[in-house]
Each structure stands twice: as C-alpha cells, then as structure tokens.
Amino acid sequence: MVHSCLRDQSGAVSPPSLNLSSCYTAMPDDNLLHVDGQAGVDPETMPDNTAAFPPLVADDTRAAGNPIMKPNKRTSSQRRMLQLQHSPFWAQNCWTFLWTVLLFNAMGCIQSIRCKPKSFRDSIVILELNATIDSNPTSIDETSGVVLRYRTPHFRANARILVPPVAAKETWTIGWIQACNHMEFFNTYGDKGMSSWELPDLRDSKIQAISDSDGVNYPWYGNTTETCTVIGPTKKDSKFVVSMNDNFYPSVTWGVPVSDSNVPQLSSIFRDQSFTTWLVAINQATSETLVLQTIRWRMRLDIKVDPEKPLGQRAVLKEPVAQVQPQILGKNEPIPPNAMVKPNANDAQVLMWRPKTGDPVVVIPPKY
C-alpha cells in the first residue's frame, strides 16, 4: 500500500522512509489441516488475500537485526489461517456458536416471562428493627398514704417495613403480637404473709404462654402504632413503621389486702416477668400467619420497704437497677396458640392472699 508517497521527476515512486512490511514469528511446519477426510488445500496455489491479513506496521524487532519476512512468502502460520478461513468447518462452528448464544438468550427471556411473581412471604422486607429497654431505673412514688406506686422503664420495639407491589387482591396486617411466658409477682407483708398476682394456667404449666393483647384487637398488642394494613392489589412499594412499648405501673397497698386496716406493713416487692414479642404478618382472608421476627425480653424488680419510716422514705430500689436488654433471635419461634386468643394476661390474672398460716384467699378473681 502507498500512502502519500513522493514521486521523482521521472514519475517513479520513491521508497518509504519507514519499512511497512509485517513481521511474523515462524512456527514449525506440520501436516496441512484435513477436513472431513479431504486433503488440505495448498495455500501456494490460492490467490493472495491481503485483506485477510493485519495492517502492515513498523516492527521494532527489525532494528535489533532480526530478518524481515517478505510478504510474498507465506509462513506456516499464515498457511494455517488461510486453510481455516477457506474451510467449511470454520464457518460451521461460527454459526453453531452464534445459534447457541441466541438460543440461550431466547430461553432466558421465555423463562423470565413465565416466572411467577414472588409470594408475600418472599417479598416483604424488614428494612430496620430495634428493640430496647430504657436505661432509666424504676421510679418509686410514695405520695399516697394508701398505696405505693412504681413505674418501670419502657420496653420499646419498632420496625421499618417494605412491602413491594401486591399483585393479588388480598389484605395483610403487619404488626406486633406479645405473650407472657413467666410471671412472679409477690408483695410481702412482714410475718403476716404475701399477696401474689398469678396466672393460674401459666403457673400450673397448662399453657406455654398467654396473650398480652390490649384485650380488644386480638391477637395484636394494640391497634394504633402497633399495626399497619396493606390492601392489594397495589402498584407501588408500601413503606411504614410499626412500633410498640410496654412497662409496669401498678399500685401496691401499704396494708394487708384482706384487712380493713391501713397500717403500713408492706416490707418488700418482688417481680420477675418474661415476654416474647413477635413481628407478624397475617392474611385477613386466609389467616395465613408469617412470623417475621422474634424478640425476648425480661423485666425484674426488687424493692425493699421499711414500713416504720415516714412516708416518702420507706422504699428503696435494689438490684437490678438497669434491665438486661432484649434479645432479637436469629431463628424465629412459633407463636403458641394461647398467645393468639382470649383471654389476655390482664383478664386472666388473679390476686391471691397467701398467709403464713391458713389457706390462700382469692382477693381479686379473673375477669373472664
């Protein structure tokens, strides 16, 4: 090829100042390629096909004294390339490769079209979840001459949820369900005896847990910030937060509960309760229940009381002052049947008087 070559006065083309011939590394000669049992084509008899060769470039190796291969004398590697290019085997394999690629792409498209949309179970996402107990200690209120009041720190749980578009015509409620697994709640009155709030079926191990619902919106803990409802079909993502909190704020009489006297005799308060809290999605039509997350938490309390001291100076909070933080389980636990139905803990609990001597007395019966 000649690019902008100069001509002398006679019209002859002057040689280029830069050698533009290609240089190839020679490979050992071997038998010519045979296809389908046919003898190979002799490349020496084939017309030159310069378009099939790479462009001629300057080769630095020539400056080092390496011999320059003349372009009109083909090397063994060039002969092999010509044989492959003129072979039906080469073209057949190219078409086979292209057909395979197109076929797999087509299969992928068909598979994508036939894929069913994800179920609600697989599509719902918990973007963020937190469960804590406030760090402040239990506060004690002695302003009343009839009862001692105390307020424990709050247990708090909140979750940020993402629900992708719901294709089906269905309604899901997502929220918190809580159950009490264990309860010890004793108020001691010196050598007279003690009063005790009890859950009889739980105490006697007849059930694993009892609902801690608000008593109205079973099985949910509440129906304000505690739940959210998604009504399908929807076209957009649904993002929302469900949250709940729980604490104790009871009143304990200074005097013996079964006595008409208000003489202060309360000497201690002990409380130890355990709960399981579930983040749950429930299909309103089918009652399908999906447990999304499980949390365990515990509240313990120990107050010593000196009834002989003046009002306002009687009660002292003992250990633990700070509560152990809730545990978010790595593996979800199933919800016991009693945690989903009536009665709830508040309606099932009984206040008993257990004297040092004599038979127990029911002071407040269950509500249900």
Side-chain angles (χ1 to χ4, degrees):
M1 298 179 66
V2 179
H3 297 277
S4 302
C5 293
L6 299 177
R7 299 176 180 268
D8 57 17
Q9 294 179 355
S10 63
V13 178
S14 60
S17 57
L18 178 65
N19 195 328
L20 300 178
S21 61
S22 298
C23 180
Y24 296 88
T25 301
M27 298 178 65
D29 289 332
D30 50 10
N31 294 331
L32 297 178
L33 179 65
H34 291 73
V35 180
D36 297 330
Q38 300 178 3
V41 181
D42 186 0
E44 293 296 335
T45 63
M46 296 175 59
D48 291 341
N49 185 6
T50 57
F53 290 94
L56 302 180
V57 295
D59 191 341
D60 293 336
T61 58
R62 288 193 295 268
N66 292 332
I68 298 174
M69 307 286 296
K70 292 183 179 181
N72 60 350
K73 185 178 181 180
R74 298 187 182 94
T75 64
S76 60
S77 60
Q78 290 173 329
R79 291 197 299 271
R80 291 189 188 92
M81 183 178 291
L82 285 171
Q83 290 169 348
L84 289 173
Q85 289 174 338
H86 289 78
S87 168
F89 178 80
W90 171 275
Q92 180 181 357
N93 278 276
C94 285
W95 283 111
T96 302
F97 174 78
L98 290 174
W99 177 253
T100 303
V101 171
L102 292 172
L103 180 62
F104 273 99
N105 283 338
M107 290 175 65
C109 293
I110 295 171
Q111 183 66 24
S112 298
I113 294 172
R114 290 183 178 179
C115 283
K116 295 181 179 179
K118 287 185 177 180
S119 65
F120 191 87
R121 176 192 295 272
D122 296 329
S123 62
I124 188 169
V125 178
I126 302 175
L127 299 175
E128 183 180 0
L129 187 142
N130 296 293
T132 60
I133 294 178
D134 294 347
S135 59
N136 58 284
T138 296
S139 62
I140 300 173
D141 179 4
E142 294 187 34
T143 57
S144 170
V146 178
V147 296
L148 176 150
R149 297 186 180 93
Y150 64 85
R151 187 190 300 270
T152 66
H154 282 80
F155 162 77
R156 304 181 190 274
N158 64 82
R160 192 160 59 96
I161 307 295
L162 167 66
V163 177
V166 178
K169 186 178 181 181
E170 54 187 12
T171 301
W172 289 85
T173 300
I174 300 94
W176 298 103
I177 294 175
Q178 181 165 282
C180 178
N181 312 103
H182 174 79
M183 184 171 80
E184 295 178 72
F185 188 178
F186 310 125
N187 307 311
T188 305
Y189 293 84
D191 58 359
K192 300 294 184 180
M194 70 177 185
S195 65
S196 175
W197 284 101
E198 302 173 9
L199 295 166
D201 288 347
L202 191 63
R203 176 197 64 202
D204 299 337
S205 300
K206 293 181 179 179
I207 57 175
Q208 289 180 284
I210 189 167
S211 170
D212 199 26
S213 167
D214 62 359
V216 178
N217 300 285
Y218 286 94
W220 306 107
Y221 183 78
N223 196 32
T224 52
T225 63
E226 296 85 0
T227 60
C228 184
T229 299
V230 177
I231 302 174
T234 59
K235 296 182 179 180
K236 298 181 180 179
D237 291 349
S238 302
K239 289 184 180 180
F240 51 87
V241 174
V242 286
S243 62
M244 63 162 288
N245 66 80
D246 190 11
N247 78 323
F248 308 148
Y249 185 39
S251 300
V252 182
T253 58
W254 291 109
V256 174
V258 293
S259 171
D260 294 331
S261 172
N262 288 330
V263 176
Q265 297 187 64
L266 179 66
S267 57
S268 70
I269 299 172
F270 176 82
R271 189 165 185 172
D272 186 355
Q273 280 187 255
S274 298
F275 299 86
T276 303
T277 307
W278 294 271
L279 179 62
V280 181
I282 297 180
N283 187 308
Q284 297 301 312
T286 65
S287 297
E288 180 184 359
T289 301
L290 310 177
V291 176
L292 307 176
Q293 191 65 65
T294 307
I295 302 169
R296 286 181 181 172
W297 62 281
R298 181 183 184 185
M299 190 74 73
R300 294 191 296 162
L301 179 75
D302 189 4
I303 298 174
K304 300 301 179 185
V305 181
D306 185 349
E308 301 297 328
K309 288 186 175 182
L311 189 65
Q313 303 176 23
R314 297 172 181 168
V316 177
L317 179 65
K318 298 296 183 180
E319 294 291 343
V321 175
Q323 302 296 322
V324 175
Q325 289 300 308
Q327 180 184 11
I328 300 175
L329 303 187
K331 182 178 180 181
N332 284 321
E333 294 183 350
I335 305 175
N338 291 88
M340 302 288 287
V341 297
K342 297 180 179 182
N344 68 348
N346 287 338
D347 290 345
Q349 65 184 353
V350 177
L351 179 61
M352 301 291 298
W353 169 249
R354 298 184 178 277
K356 288 285 186 179
T357 58
D359 297 328
V361 177
V362 177
V363 179
I364 300 178
K367 296 178 181 179
Y368 77 97

